[in-house]
Amino acid sequence: MATPIAPTPVLKGKEAVEFQKRLDADLKRPATFIETPKLEKGKALVKQYALRHKK
């Protein structure tokens, strides 16, 4: 017997407002193309990103 698929969750109230704000903020930061880094350079970039976004 097949497993039923769960319905898509719907955000309401405060969660919906916060999610919409996040989407609007992301629209202001467009994605850009970057060249594929080599492994060592990639590791360094990941570390830099982690340090910048550490909470």
Side-chain angles (χ1 to χ4, degrees):
M1 179 179 254
T3 305
I5 298 173
T8 303
V10 177
L11 296 177
K12 295 182 181 176
K14 188 177 181 180
E15 292 88 11
V17 172
E18 290 175 4
F19 185 70
Q20 187 61 46
K21 285 180 183 177
R22 193 168 131 203
L23 288 177
D24 292 341
D26 285 345
L27 286 174
K28 295 176 184 172
R29 293 184 293 141
T32 58
F33 292 107
I34 59 169
E35 64 182 53
T36 306
K38 300 294 180 192
L39 183 59
E40 293 304 318
K41 186 176 179 183
K43 287 180 183 178
L45 290 172
V46 169
K47 288 179 184 178
Q48 289 174 4
Y49 179 83
L51 289 175
R52 276 190 280 138
H53 292 87
K54 193 174 187 178
K55 292 185 177 183

Short mmCIF file of all heavy atoms in Angstrom, two decimals:
data_model
loop_
_atom_site.label_atom_id
_atom_site.label_comp_id
_atom_site.label_asym_id
_atom_site.label_seq_id
_atom_site.Cartn_x
_atom_site.Cartn_y
_atom_site.Cartn_z
N MET A 1 0.85 -1.18 0.00
CA MET A 1 0.00 0.00 0.00
C MET A 1 0.89 1.24 0.00
O MET A 1 1.89 1.30 0.70
CB MET A 1 -0.90 -0.03 1.23
CG MET A 1 -1.80 1.18 1.33
SD MET A 1 -2.86 1.08 2.76
CE MET A 1 -4.36 0.70 1.96
N ALA A 2 0.50 2.22 -0.76
CA ALA A 2 1.29 3.45 -0.89
C ALA A 2 1.14 4.33 0.35
O ALA A 2 0.09 4.36 0.98
CB ALA A 2 0.84 4.23 -2.11
N THR A 3 2.22 5.02 0.68
CA THR A 3 2.19 5.95 1.80
C THR A 3 1.57 7.27 1.34
O THR A 3 1.99 7.80 0.31
CB THR A 3 3.63 6.21 2.31
OG1 THR A 3 4.24 4.96 2.61
CG2 THR A 3 3.63 7.09 3.53
N PRO A 4 0.59 7.78 2.07
CA PRO A 4 -0.03 9.05 1.65
C PRO A 4 0.95 10.21 1.77
O PRO A 4 1.80 10.24 2.66
CB PRO A 4 -1.21 9.21 2.58
CG PRO A 4 -0.89 8.37 3.76
CD PRO A 4 -0.02 7.25 3.27
N ILE A 5 0.81 11.16 0.89
CA ILE A 5 1.66 12.35 0.91
C ILE A 5 1.02 13.38 1.83
O ILE A 5 -0.17 13.66 1.73
CB ILE A 5 1.83 12.93 -0.50
CG1 ILE A 5 2.52 11.89 -1.39
CG2 ILE A 5 2.60 14.24 -0.48
CD1 ILE A 5 2.58 12.28 -2.84
N ALA A 6 1.82 13.93 2.73
CA ALA A 6 1.31 14.94 3.66
C ALA A 6 0.96 16.22 2.92
O ALA A 6 1.62 16.57 1.93
CB ALA A 6 2.36 15.22 4.73
N PRO A 7 -0.07 16.92 3.37
CA PRO A 7 -0.42 18.19 2.72
C PRO A 7 0.67 19.24 2.92
O PRO A 7 1.41 19.19 3.90
CB PRO A 7 -1.72 18.60 3.39
CG PRO A 7 -1.73 17.87 4.69
CD PRO A 7 -0.94 16.62 4.48
N THR A 8 0.74 20.17 2.00
CA THR A 8 1.71 21.25 2.08
C THR A 8 1.37 22.15 3.27
O THR A 8 0.22 22.57 3.41
CB THR A 8 1.69 22.09 0.79
OG1 THR A 8 1.95 21.23 -0.32
CG2 THR A 8 2.73 23.19 0.84
N PRO A 9 2.34 22.45 4.14
CA PRO A 9 2.05 23.31 5.28
C PRO A 9 1.72 24.74 4.83
O PRO A 9 2.26 25.23 3.83
CB PRO A 9 3.33 23.28 6.11
CG PRO A 9 4.38 22.79 5.20
CD PRO A 9 3.71 22.00 4.11
N VAL A 10 0.84 25.38 5.55
CA VAL A 10 0.44 26.74 5.25
C VAL A 10 0.83 27.62 6.43
O VAL A 10 0.47 27.33 7.57
CB VAL A 10 -1.09 26.83 5.00
CG1 VAL A 10 -1.51 28.26 4.76
CG2 VAL A 10 -1.49 25.95 3.85
N LEU A 11 1.58 28.68 6.14
CA LEU A 11 1.97 29.60 7.20
C LEU A 11 0.86 30.60 7.43
O LEU A 11 0.28 31.14 6.50
CB LEU A 11 3.26 30.33 6.82
CG LEU A 11 4.50 29.46 6.66
CD1 LEU A 11 5.67 30.31 6.20
CD2 LEU A 11 4.84 28.76 7.95
N LYS A 12 0.59 30.86 8.69
CA LYS A 12 -0.45 31.82 9.05
C LYS A 12 0.07 32.75 10.13
O LYS A 12 0.96 32.39 10.89
CB LYS A 12 -1.70 31.10 9.57
CG LYS A 12 -2.38 30.24 8.54
CD LYS A 12 -3.62 29.58 9.08
CE LYS A 12 -4.26 28.71 8.03
NZ LYS A 12 -5.42 27.99 8.53
N GLY A 13 -0.48 33.94 10.15
CA GLY A 13 -0.17 34.89 11.23
C GLY A 13 1.25 35.37 11.21
O GLY A 13 1.81 35.74 10.18
N LYS A 14 1.87 35.33 12.39
CA LYS A 14 3.21 35.88 12.59
C LYS A 14 4.25 35.17 11.73
O LYS A 14 5.13 35.80 11.16
CB LYS A 14 3.58 35.75 14.07
CG LYS A 14 4.85 36.45 14.44
CD LYS A 14 5.09 36.34 15.94
CE LYS A 14 6.35 37.06 16.35
NZ LYS A 14 6.60 36.96 17.78
N GLU A 15 4.14 33.84 11.61
CA GLU A 15 5.10 33.08 10.81
C GLU A 15 5.04 33.50 9.35
O GLU A 15 6.06 33.61 8.68
CB GLU A 15 4.86 31.57 10.93
CG GLU A 15 5.16 31.00 12.30
CD GLU A 15 3.98 31.08 13.24
OE1 GLU A 15 2.85 31.39 12.80
OE2 GLU A 15 4.18 30.85 14.43
N ALA A 16 3.84 33.73 8.85
CA ALA A 16 3.68 34.14 7.45
C ALA A 16 4.30 35.50 7.20
O ALA A 16 4.97 35.72 6.19
CB ALA A 16 2.20 34.16 7.08
N VAL A 17 4.12 36.43 8.14
CA VAL A 17 4.68 37.78 7.99
C VAL A 17 6.20 37.72 8.01
O VAL A 17 6.88 38.34 7.19
CB VAL A 17 4.14 38.71 9.10
CG1 VAL A 17 4.86 40.05 9.08
CG2 VAL A 17 2.64 38.89 8.96
N GLU A 18 6.76 36.95 8.94
CA GLU A 18 8.21 36.82 9.04
C GLU A 18 8.80 36.17 7.77
O GLU A 18 9.83 36.60 7.28
CB GLU A 18 8.59 36.00 10.27
CG GLU A 18 8.33 36.73 11.56
CD GLU A 18 8.59 35.86 12.78
OE1 GLU A 18 9.03 34.69 12.62
OE2 GLU A 18 8.32 36.33 13.89
N PHE A 19 8.12 35.16 7.26
CA PHE A 19 8.59 34.50 6.05
C PHE A 19 8.55 35.45 4.86
O PHE A 19 9.49 35.49 4.05
CB PHE A 19 7.75 33.25 5.77
CG PHE A 19 8.24 32.44 4.61
CD1 PHE A 19 9.43 31.74 4.69
CD2 PHE A 19 7.52 32.39 3.43
CE1 PHE A 19 9.90 31.00 3.62
CE2 PHE A 19 7.97 31.65 2.35
CZ PHE A 19 9.16 30.95 2.44
N GLN A 20 7.48 36.23 4.74
CA GLN A 20 7.37 37.19 3.64
C GLN A 20 8.46 38.25 3.73
O GLN A 20 9.04 38.64 2.72
CB GLN A 20 5.99 37.86 3.63
CG GLN A 20 5.76 38.72 2.42
CD GLN A 20 5.81 37.94 1.12
OE1 GLN A 20 5.22 36.88 1.00
NE2 GLN A 20 6.53 38.46 0.15
N LYS A 21 8.78 38.72 4.94
CA LYS A 21 9.86 39.70 5.12
C LYS A 21 11.19 39.10 4.66
O LYS A 21 12.00 39.77 4.04
CB LYS A 21 9.96 40.14 6.58
CG LYS A 21 8.86 41.08 6.99
CD LYS A 21 9.03 41.48 8.45
CE LYS A 21 7.91 42.37 8.91
NZ LYS A 21 8.03 42.71 10.34
N ARG A 22 11.40 37.82 5.00
CA ARG A 22 12.64 37.15 4.59
C ARG A 22 12.71 37.03 3.07
O ARG A 22 13.78 37.27 2.48
CB ARG A 22 12.68 35.77 5.24
CG ARG A 22 14.01 35.11 5.16
CD ARG A 22 14.04 33.91 6.07
NE ARG A 22 14.55 32.80 5.31
CZ ARG A 22 14.34 31.53 5.58
NH1 ARG A 22 13.63 31.18 6.60
NH2 ARG A 22 14.85 30.59 4.84
N LEU A 23 11.61 36.70 2.43
CA LEU A 23 11.59 36.61 0.97
C LEU A 23 11.86 37.97 0.34
O LEU A 23 12.63 38.08 -0.61
CB LEU A 23 10.24 36.09 0.48
CG LEU A 23 9.94 34.62 0.74
CD1 LEU A 23 8.54 34.29 0.26
CD2 LEU A 23 10.96 33.73 0.07
N ASP A 24 11.23 39.02 0.87
CA ASP A 24 11.43 40.37 0.33
C ASP A 24 12.88 40.81 0.48
O ASP A 24 13.45 41.43 -0.42
CB ASP A 24 10.50 41.36 1.01
CG ASP A 24 9.04 41.11 0.65
OD1 ASP A 24 8.78 40.44 -0.36
OD2 ASP A 24 8.16 41.58 1.40
N ALA A 25 13.51 40.49 1.62
CA ALA A 25 14.90 40.86 1.83
C ALA A 25 15.81 40.11 0.85
O ALA A 25 16.77 40.68 0.33
CB ALA A 25 15.31 40.55 3.27
N ASP A 26 15.50 38.85 0.59
CA ASP A 26 16.32 38.06 -0.34
C ASP A 26 16.19 38.56 -1.77
O ASP A 26 17.12 38.42 -2.56
CB ASP A 26 15.94 36.59 -0.27
CG ASP A 26 16.46 35.91 0.98
OD1 ASP A 26 17.34 36.51 1.65
OD2 ASP A 26 16.00 34.80 1.30
N LEU A 27 15.05 39.15 -2.12
CA LEU A 27 14.89 39.68 -3.47
C LEU A 27 15.81 40.87 -3.71
O LEU A 27 16.17 41.15 -4.85
CB LEU A 27 13.43 40.11 -3.70
CG LEU A 27 12.43 38.97 -3.87
CD1 LEU A 27 11.02 39.52 -3.94
CD2 LEU A 27 12.74 38.17 -5.12
N LYS A 28 16.19 41.56 -2.65
CA LYS A 28 17.07 42.72 -2.77
C LYS A 28 18.53 42.31 -2.89
O LYS A 28 19.37 43.14 -3.16
CB LYS A 28 16.88 43.65 -1.57
CG LYS A 28 15.48 44.25 -1.52
CD LYS A 28 15.27 45.07 -0.29
CE LYS A 28 13.84 45.57 -0.23
NZ LYS A 28 13.53 46.22 1.02
N ARG A 29 18.82 41.03 -2.67
CA ARG A 29 20.18 40.52 -2.79
C ARG A 29 20.22 39.48 -3.90
O ARG A 29 20.12 38.28 -3.64
CB ARG A 29 20.62 39.89 -1.47
CG ARG A 29 20.78 40.88 -0.34
CD ARG A 29 21.30 40.24 0.92
NE ARG A 29 20.28 39.32 1.46
CZ ARG A 29 20.54 38.15 2.00
NH1 ARG A 29 21.76 37.73 2.11
NH2 ARG A 29 19.57 37.37 2.45
N PRO A 30 20.34 39.91 -5.14
CA PRO A 30 20.31 38.94 -6.24
C PRO A 30 21.53 38.02 -6.22
O PRO A 30 22.60 38.40 -5.77
CB PRO A 30 20.31 39.82 -7.49
CG PRO A 30 20.94 41.09 -7.06
CD PRO A 30 20.55 41.27 -5.61
N ALA A 31 21.32 36.83 -6.72
CA ALA A 31 22.41 35.87 -6.81
C ALA A 31 23.31 36.26 -7.98
O ALA A 31 22.85 36.79 -8.99
CB ALA A 31 21.87 34.47 -7.03
N THR A 32 24.59 36.02 -7.82
CA THR A 32 25.53 36.34 -8.88
C THR A 32 26.31 35.07 -9.23
O THR A 32 26.38 34.13 -8.46
CB THR A 32 26.53 37.43 -8.44
OG1 THR A 32 27.21 36.97 -7.27
CG2 THR A 32 25.81 38.73 -8.11
N PHE A 33 26.88 35.07 -10.42
CA PHE A 33 27.71 33.95 -10.84
C PHE A 33 29.11 34.11 -10.27
O PHE A 33 29.66 35.22 -10.24
CB PHE A 33 27.81 33.91 -12.37
CG PHE A 33 26.50 33.55 -13.02
CD1 PHE A 33 25.77 34.51 -13.69
CD2 PHE A 33 26.01 32.26 -12.96
CE1 PHE A 33 24.57 34.20 -14.29
CE2 PHE A 33 24.81 31.93 -13.56
CZ PHE A 33 24.09 32.90 -14.23
N ILE A 34 29.67 33.02 -9.81
CA ILE A 34 31.05 33.02 -9.35
C ILE A 34 31.75 31.82 -10.01
O ILE A 34 31.11 30.81 -10.31
CB ILE A 34 31.19 32.94 -7.82
CG1 ILE A 34 30.53 31.67 -7.29
CG2 ILE A 34 30.62 34.16 -7.15
CD1 ILE A 34 30.85 31.40 -5.84
N GLU A 35 33.02 31.95 -10.20
CA GLU A 35 33.75 30.83 -10.78
C GLU A 35 33.91 29.74 -9.73
O GLU A 35 33.90 30.00 -8.53
CB GLU A 35 35.11 31.29 -11.30
CG GLU A 35 36.03 31.80 -10.21
CD GLU A 35 37.34 32.30 -10.77
OE1 GLU A 35 37.31 33.14 -11.67
OE2 GLU A 35 38.39 31.82 -10.28
N THR A 36 34.03 28.52 -10.17
CA THR A 36 34.19 27.40 -9.26
C THR A 36 35.59 27.41 -8.69
O THR A 36 36.58 27.35 -9.44
CB THR A 36 33.94 26.07 -10.00
OG1 THR A 36 32.66 26.13 -10.63
CG2 THR A 36 33.99 24.91 -9.04
N PRO A 37 35.72 27.51 -7.36
CA PRO A 37 37.06 27.56 -6.76
C PRO A 37 37.70 26.17 -6.68
O PRO A 37 37.02 25.15 -6.74
CB PRO A 37 36.79 28.10 -5.36
CG PRO A 37 35.40 27.67 -5.06
CD PRO A 37 34.67 27.66 -6.37
N LYS A 38 38.99 26.16 -6.54
CA LYS A 38 39.70 24.92 -6.31
C LYS A 38 39.41 24.49 -4.87
O LYS A 38 38.91 25.27 -4.06
CB LYS A 38 41.20 25.11 -6.52
CG LYS A 38 41.57 25.56 -7.92
CD LYS A 38 41.25 24.49 -8.93
CE LYS A 38 41.64 24.96 -10.32
NZ LYS A 38 41.12 24.13 -11.36
N LEU A 39 39.71 23.26 -4.53
CA LEU A 39 39.36 22.70 -3.24
C LEU A 39 39.89 23.52 -2.07
O LEU A 39 39.15 23.86 -1.15
CB LEU A 39 39.85 21.25 -3.14
CG LEU A 39 39.46 20.52 -1.87
CD1 LEU A 39 37.96 20.47 -1.71
CD2 LEU A 39 40.03 19.11 -1.88
N GLU A 40 41.17 23.84 -2.07
CA GLU A 40 41.76 24.59 -0.95
C GLU A 40 41.14 25.98 -0.83
O GLU A 40 40.85 26.45 0.26
CB GLU A 40 43.28 24.69 -1.10
CG GLU A 40 43.99 23.36 -0.98
CD GLU A 40 43.69 22.65 0.33
OE1 GLU A 40 43.65 23.31 1.40
OE2 GLU A 40 43.46 21.42 0.29
N LYS A 41 40.97 26.63 -1.97
CA LYS A 41 40.36 27.95 -1.95
C LYS A 41 38.90 27.85 -1.48
O LYS A 41 38.42 28.70 -0.74
CB LYS A 41 40.41 28.58 -3.35
CG LYS A 41 39.93 30.01 -3.38
CD LYS A 41 40.09 30.63 -4.75
CE LYS A 41 39.58 32.05 -4.75
NZ LYS A 41 39.66 32.66 -6.07
N GLY A 42 38.22 26.78 -1.87
CA GLY A 42 36.84 26.56 -1.45
C GLY A 42 36.73 26.38 0.05
O GLY A 42 35.83 26.91 0.69
N LYS A 43 37.66 25.61 0.63
CA LYS A 43 37.66 25.43 2.08
C LYS A 43 37.85 26.76 2.80
O LYS A 43 37.19 27.04 3.80
CB LYS A 43 38.77 24.46 2.49
CG LYS A 43 38.50 23.02 2.14
CD LYS A 43 39.67 22.15 2.59
CE LYS A 43 39.50 20.71 2.21
NZ LYS A 43 40.64 19.88 2.61
N ALA A 44 38.74 27.59 2.28
CA ALA A 44 38.99 28.90 2.89
C ALA A 44 37.74 29.78 2.79
O ALA A 44 37.39 30.48 3.75
CB ALA A 44 40.17 29.57 2.23
N LEU A 45 37.06 29.75 1.65
CA LEU A 45 35.84 30.54 1.48
C LEU A 45 34.74 30.08 2.43
O LEU A 45 34.01 30.91 2.99
CB LEU A 45 35.36 30.46 0.04
CG LEU A 45 36.21 31.17 -1.00
CD1 LEU A 45 35.72 30.85 -2.40
CD2 LEU A 45 36.19 32.67 -0.77
N VAL A 46 34.63 28.78 2.63
CA VAL A 46 33.62 28.26 3.55
C VAL A 46 33.91 28.72 4.98
O VAL A 46 33.01 29.13 5.72
CB VAL A 46 33.55 26.72 3.48
CG1 VAL A 46 32.72 26.15 4.60
CG2 VAL A 46 33.00 26.28 2.14
N LYS A 47 35.17 28.70 5.36
CA LYS A 47 35.54 29.16 6.71
C LYS A 47 35.25 30.64 6.88
O LYS A 47 34.73 31.07 7.91
CB LYS A 47 37.03 28.89 6.97
CG LYS A 47 37.33 27.42 7.18
CD LYS A 47 38.81 27.20 7.41
CE LYS A 47 39.12 25.72 7.53
NZ LYS A 47 40.55 25.45 7.69
N GLN A 48 35.56 31.45 5.86
CA GLN A 48 35.26 32.88 5.93
C GLN A 48 33.77 33.12 6.06
O GLN A 48 33.32 33.94 6.87
CB GLN A 48 35.78 33.60 4.68
CG GLN A 48 37.27 33.71 4.60
CD GLN A 48 37.71 34.31 3.26
OE1 GLN A 48 36.87 34.70 2.44
NE2 GLN A 48 39.01 34.37 3.04
N TYR A 49 32.98 32.39 5.28
CA TYR A 49 31.53 32.54 5.32
C TYR A 49 31.00 32.17 6.71
O TYR A 49 30.15 32.86 7.27
CB TYR A 49 30.88 31.65 4.26
CG TYR A 49 29.39 31.72 4.24
CD1 TYR A 49 28.74 32.74 3.56
CD2 TYR A 49 28.61 30.77 4.90
CE1 TYR A 49 27.35 32.81 3.54
CE2 TYR A 49 27.24 30.84 4.89
CZ TYR A 49 26.61 31.86 4.20
OH TYR A 49 25.24 31.92 4.20
N ALA A 50 31.51 31.08 7.27
CA ALA A 50 31.06 30.62 8.58
C ALA A 50 31.39 31.65 9.66
O ALA A 50 30.58 31.92 10.55
CB ALA A 50 31.69 29.28 8.92
N LEU A 51 32.57 32.27 9.57
CA LEU A 51 32.95 33.26 10.57
C LEU A 51 32.07 34.51 10.46
O LEU A 51 31.71 35.11 11.47
CB LEU A 51 34.42 33.64 10.41
CG LEU A 51 35.42 32.55 10.83
CD1 LEU A 51 36.84 33.00 10.50
CD2 LEU A 51 35.29 32.28 12.32
N ARG A 52 31.73 34.93 9.23
CA ARG A 52 30.89 36.11 9.04
C ARG A 52 29.47 35.90 9.53
O ARG A 52 28.84 36.82 10.02
CB ARG A 52 30.85 36.51 7.56
CG ARG A 52 32.02 37.34 7.13
CD ARG A 52 31.80 37.89 5.74
NE ARG A 52 32.13 36.82 4.78
CZ ARG A 52 31.45 36.53 3.68
NH1 ARG A 52 30.41 37.22 3.36
NH2 ARG A 52 31.83 35.56 2.90
N HIS A 53 28.97 34.67 9.41
CA HIS A 53 27.58 34.42 9.75
C HIS A 53 27.42 33.68 11.07
O HIS A 53 26.38 33.13 11.35
CB HIS A 53 26.91 33.63 8.62
CG HIS A 53 26.76 34.45 7.39
ND1 HIS A 53 27.75 34.54 6.44
CD2 HIS A 53 25.76 35.24 6.96
CE1 HIS A 53 27.35 35.34 5.47
NE2 HIS A 53 26.15 35.78 5.77
N LYS A 54 28.47 33.67 11.87
CA LYS A 54 28.41 33.03 13.17
C LYS A 54 27.57 33.89 14.11
O LYS A 54 27.72 35.10 14.16
CB LYS A 54 29.83 32.89 13.73
CG LYS A 54 29.93 31.98 14.90
CD LYS A 54 31.39 31.78 15.27
CE LYS A 54 31.53 30.74 16.34
NZ LYS A 54 32.91 30.50 16.67
N LYS A 55 26.67 33.28 14.81
CA LYS A 55 25.78 34.03 15.70
C LYS A 55 26.23 33.98 17.12
O LYS A 55 26.75 33.11 17.64
CB LYS A 55 24.35 33.50 15.60
CG LYS A 55 23.77 33.80 14.24
CD LYS A 55 22.33 33.39 14.21
CE LYS A 55 21.74 33.75 12.86
NZ LYS A 55 20.37 33.48 12.75
#
